[in-house]
Every structure is written in structure tokens, then in C-alpha cells.
Amino acid sequence: MSDLDTGTVTTKVPARLDRLPWSRWHWMIVIGLGTVWILDGLEVTIVGNLSAQLAKPGSGIDITQAQVAGLAAALYVAGACSGALFFGWLTDRFGRKKLFLITLVVYLVATLMTAFSFDAWWFFLFRFMTGFGIGGEYAAINSAIDELIPSAHRGRIDIIINGSYWLGAAGGALLTVPLLNDLPVNIGWRVAFGMGVVLGLAILLVRRHVPESPRWLFIHGRGQEAEKIVDDIEHQVGGDLPEPARSMTIHQRKSIGFVRIAHTMVALYPKRTVLGLSLFIGQAFLYNAITFGYAQILSTFFKIDTHTGYYFAVIAVGNFLGPLLLGPLFDTVGRVPMISATYIGSGVLLLGTAWLFNQGMLTAVTLTACWSVVLFVASAGASSAYLTVSEIFPMETRAMAIAFFFAIGTAAGGIAGPLVFAHLVETGVPGDTALAFTIGAIIMIVAGLVELFLGVKAERKGLEEIAAPLTAAKVDKAA
């Protein structure tokens, strides 16, 4: 598809959005868009903690625990990768708002269908489709958030939002405990999936009020609409707003060719492409060494199969506290030192956990404590992977860049990870599970080293300053 030029426009829209003070309107954006990670955390955790229950006789599905933690988890991630690529392209082509509404509907329908599973193949199919919707959410939502949040707050907000995955994980973990113990074996897991539908419907109601990205609008030939949206935002924010001092001139286009998008990532920004892949593969392997299979570890090594939610909730709290407490440092200390420190630090801590586990020195409680510490550090790093790829590439390629790195990195760690790690845990040999931990740790450390050498100093900078739009004729011109 070729680029379609519709004229040239000079605008201050990016500068006007970046100079806004934090306000109630921004909280609406965070709630309406950022809560998708809570849904993802809820989904993954529910399935992980229900794996033993689903495998029991009378559950309504003839399926094994290894299939739930391995094949079903891999299909969920495969769906997420496919959905990210498919909806990522559509997001750059047709806009952020249309797609973050469509992808949420896809998630809602697929999750509802999962609750009505009557056979393993049906369960596998709709785990894939649920992932398909969630993957599309990642591309559409990260794009919109970065383009609407002021540059001074972008780092911490992005990291905290991505870290909110673990609020969903904690909720899902605690939710499964009464459902597994107080409801019949064939009912509890169905109700758990239904809870995801209820939360998704609530998010959909809030999301209807989130506007289209003004940055996307003015590049795609809808400059007047972009200016009107920013006028409305400024009116809602209120206060005495200073006149922005910079403008930019854009060659507006109805569409951006896919060939040009690919050329941008590979030819114009090869180092940034290597960086994005490294960060995504690193965090995907570390998290898939544990996220999908923690209930299986507790069941296999410690004979705990109905109260796994309590253990996972503790881990989830540590995961959320990491981005919450460390997030502001990514805007002050800086991206490169914080990203490299969280990646390398979590990898080293995980190596220590692997050694202790292999030596038989850990109980279910102390293993959970170790993972809480590891993931307190790792969670901020993993969240920064999404922040990095969403801000270091030009506006026209943003959603597709997020989708590409998410798909490739997550496919490497998120599909292979559950399949390999579920098999290693299933053997019941501590050394095999310790090997799974070690693989995740080493890849995480390597990614941290790549950040040290190739990282981009993007803190407190406007998106157009970090990577000029492909359609820019003149950027950051003083008024």
C-alpha cells in the first residue's frame, strides 16, 4: 500500500498535549485504557491457578494440568502475538479509538465462550481467541496512552499502567480460592472466567469517553478534528495554560505504506530494533518461567492444589509494588540506568533462587518470598519494555512497532516458555525446574546488557523529539 498525501499542515498539537498539567482528565485515560493489563493479569492467573481443578474428574473437560499450563497457555500467547500484529496494523491505519473498542469486544466474547467450554478443543480455541483480543489491546492501548499523556509523566504512568497487570493477577489469584473450595468442580472455574467478562464490560463503559489520539488525527489529514479535541481537553483541564513555544509541519497522509513501516524499523532504526527485541524476549522468558506454571510448581513439589491463589497473590503484590515505587525513577534517574538495573538485577536474583531451589532449601512459603523479591525488580523492567518500544519509533509506526516487538519477543519466550517449562516442572526433578529458572535469568541479564549499550535517553522528552514523524517536514520549530 502506498502513502496517500493529503496536504501539509503546521500544528502545535503535540506541544499543547505535552505541556498540560496532570489532571482528572488524565485519570480518565488511565482508567479507561490502562485497565486492560488488569484483564490480562486476571486471565493468565485464573487459568494458572485453575489448572489442577480443570484436570480433576467431573470438571466438565477432559484435560490434563500440563495441557492447561502448557498447550493452553501457549495458545493464549500465540493468539496474543497474532492479535497484536493484526490489530496493530489496523490501529496505525484506522486509528486508536476504533481498535481499542473492537479488541475489547473480541476479548469479552472469547472469555465468555471459554466459560462455556465443554471439551478440550473448545477450551484451546477460545484461549487462543482471548489472547487474540488481548494482543490487539496492547498495540492500540500503548499507542493511545503515550500519545495522550504529557511527556513529563509518560515514563512513570506507562510503567505503573503496565505493572497493573499484577493487580489483575492478585485479584484472579484470590478469586480462585473460594471458587475452587466453595463451588462444585464443574462450576467454579466457569464463574471465574465470567468475572473477567463483568470487569471488561465496566471498562468498555469508561472507554467510550476516551477520544481519538489528536496526534494520529492530524497526521492522517484530520487536523481540524485534532485541534477541536485538544481544545476540549484544555477546557476540561482548566487553569492558566502557557502558550506552547514549538510547532511542527506535517505532510498529512490518509495511510502509511507497510513497506515504509518495515523500512523504518529495519533500515532507519536498526539499533533500536535490536534493543526492542532484546527487552521483550528477556522479560517474556523470565515471566514465562513462572507466571503460567507457578500453580504447577506448588502442586508438583509441595502438594498444594486448592489454595495456590494465596501464594500467587503475594507474588502479584510484589510485582505491582515494583512499578509503583520504582516507576518515578524512570523519569528522574533516567531510562537507561533504570532499565538495565532492573533487568540485570532481577536476573541475578533469579539465579540465586534457582540455586536455593535446586539445593532443596526452599518451602512453598520461602519460594514465594524469593519470587516476590525477584519480580519486584523485574516487573518495573518488564513494564519498561513496552514503554521503550512505544516511544522510540515514529508516530506512524508506533502501534505496529509495539505489535511487532510484542509478537516476536513474546512468541520466543511466551510460546516456547510455557511448553518447555511445563515439561521441566512435570518431571518432578528439582534440577529441571531450577534449569527453567536459570534460562529465564540469563536471558534477562543479556537484555539488560543490551540496554546499557543501545538504550535511548527518552526521559521527559516529547515523542516527536525522540523520533521525528516520517511525514514531518519541519519538527520543533520555535514559535
Side-chain angles (χ1 to χ4, degrees):
M1 184 185 293
S2 59
D3 296 357
L4 299 177
D5 200 334
T6 65
T8 301
V9 63
T10 298
T11 181
K12 291 185 177 182
V13 162
R16 290 171 68 188
L17 290 170
D18 281 337
R19 63 85 156 89
L20 291 174
W22 190 259
S23 66
R24 182 178 179 182
W25 183 86
H26 293 105
W27 279 116
M28 185 266 290
I29 298 299
V30 169
I31 295 170
L33 299 182
T35 41
V36 60
W37 282 267
I38 296 178
L39 286 178
D40 192 14
L42 187 73
E43 281 294 320
V44 172
T45 310
I46 282 177
V47 174
N49 284 286
L50 292 176
S51 60
Q53 195 80 347
L54 282 164
K56 289 182 177 180
S59 70
I61 304 181
D62 183 15
I63 195 170
T64 68
Q65 186 174 11
Q67 285 179 315
V68 177
L71 180 57
L75 285 172
Y76 175 85
V77 175
C81 295
S82 303
L85 290 171
F86 178 70
F87 289 119
W89 177 75
L90 293 179
T91 298
D92 278 335
R93 176 69 178 85
F94 295 108
R96 302 349 185 180
K97 181 163 186 173
K98 288 180 181 177
L99 271 299
F100 64 59
L101 292 175
I102 290 172
T103 52
L104 183 55
V105 171
V106 171
Y107 160 81
L108 289 171
V109 173
T111 300
L112 183 62
M113 290 298 100
T114 303
F116 288 100
S117 295
F118 57 88
D119 198 48
W121 69 266
W122 181 278
F123 183 81
F124 293 147
L125 171 63
F126 284 103
R127 287 311 294 161
F128 177 88
M129 292 307 301
T130 302
F132 194 72
I134 287 291
E137 286 273 287
Y138 279 126
I141 299 305
N142 269 301
S143 304
I145 288 173
D146 272 8
E147 291 162 13
L148 292 170
I149 297 298
S151 57
H153 303 278
R154 190 177 61 245
R156 71 193 70 188
I157 295 301
D158 246 29
I159 287 173
I160 292 172
I161 285 176
N162 279 281
S164 69
Y165 169 100
W166 293 101
L167 287 179
L174 293 174
L175 179 68
T176 58
V177 174
L179 294 180
L180 292 181
N181 291 279
D182 300 336
L183 293 177
V185 69
N186 65 329
I187 298 296
W189 65 269
R190 299 182 191 276
V191 175
F193 284 113
M195 294 296 181
V197 177
V198 174
L199 178 59
L201 287 172
I203 294 171
L204 186 62
L205 293 176
V206 177
R207 192 171 288 183
R208 292 181 308 154
H209 303 291
V210 176
E212 179 58 89
S213 165
R215 283 177 157 105
W216 184 89
L217 287 170
F218 75 72
I219 282 180
H220 288 79
R222 297 162 63 180
Q224 289 185 342
E225 194 175 339
E227 297 286 349
K228 183 179 183 303
I229 288 176
V230 177
D231 287 342
D232 291 341
I233 295 171
E234 290 176 339
H235 176 72
Q236 292 183 56
V237 171
D240 186 17
L241 299 173
E243 180 67 21
R246 296 181 181 276
S247 63
M248 63 188 306
T249 302
I250 289 289
H251 295 298
Q252 294 179 303
R253 284 169 168 77
K254 286 288 186 183
S255 64
I256 308 296
F258 185 79
V259 172
R260 189 172 187 188
I261 292 174
H263 178 266
T264 299
M265 296 172 64
V266 176
L268 294 184
Y269 295 102
K271 292 181 179 179
R272 295 185 180 189
T273 299
V274 171
L275 173 64
L277 285 173
S278 300
L279 295 180
F280 264 91
I281 291 173
Q283 62 88 26
F285 262 97
L286 181 139
Y287 272 91
N288 287 288
I290 187 62
T291 300
F292 287 121
Y294 197 60
Q296 187 184 9
I297 292 172
L298 293 174
S299 175
T300 301
F301 294 97
F302 305 108
K303 309 305 177 186
I304 297 170
D305 60 3
T306 59
H307 292 81
T308 57
Y310 290 132
Y311 295 90
F312 205 93
V314 173
I315 288 177
V317 170
N319 267 286
F320 180 64
L321 288 177
L324 184 66
L325 299 178
L326 300 179
L329 300 178
F330 287 77
D331 281 327
T332 54
V333 175
R335 303 286 201 263
V336 176
M338 287 305 301
I339 295 173
S340 57
T342 51
Y343 268 74
I344 295 172
S346 61
V348 171
L349 289 169
L350 183 52
L351 285 176
T353 301
W355 183 83
L356 291 171
F357 185 85
N358 190 46
Q359 296 299 311
M361 299 171 65
L362 297 177
T363 64
V365 172
T366 54
L367 177 62
T368 301
C370 287
W371 269 107
S372 296
V373 175
V374 170
L375 297 179
F376 173 87
V377 180
S379 184
S383 297
S384 70
Y386 292 91
L387 167 65
T388 298
V389 300
S390 66
E391 66 183 3
I392 63 175
F393 291 96
M395 160 75 207
E396 299 89 338
T397 68
R398 182 161 294 119
M400 197 61 205
I402 296 167
F404 172 78
F405 291 112
F406 173 82
I408 300 301
T410 305
I415 297 177
L419 292 174
V420 173
F421 297 146
H423 173 71
L424 289 172
V425 173
E426 192 177 26
T427 66
V429 178
D432 290 344
T433 299
L435 175 61
F437 294 173
T438 302
I439 292 171
I442 291 174
I443 296 176
M444 195 74 167
I445 291 171
V446 171
L449 294 174
V450 173
E451 172 68 28
L452 275 177
F453 290 100
L454 301 181
V456 178
K457 297 179 179 179
E459 57 272 10
R460 306 181 74 84
K461 292 181 180 179
L463 294 172
E464 292 73 22
E465 184 182 355
I466 300 167
L470 298 178
T471 49
K474 194 178 297 182
V475 184
D476 289 333
K477 172 185 174 183

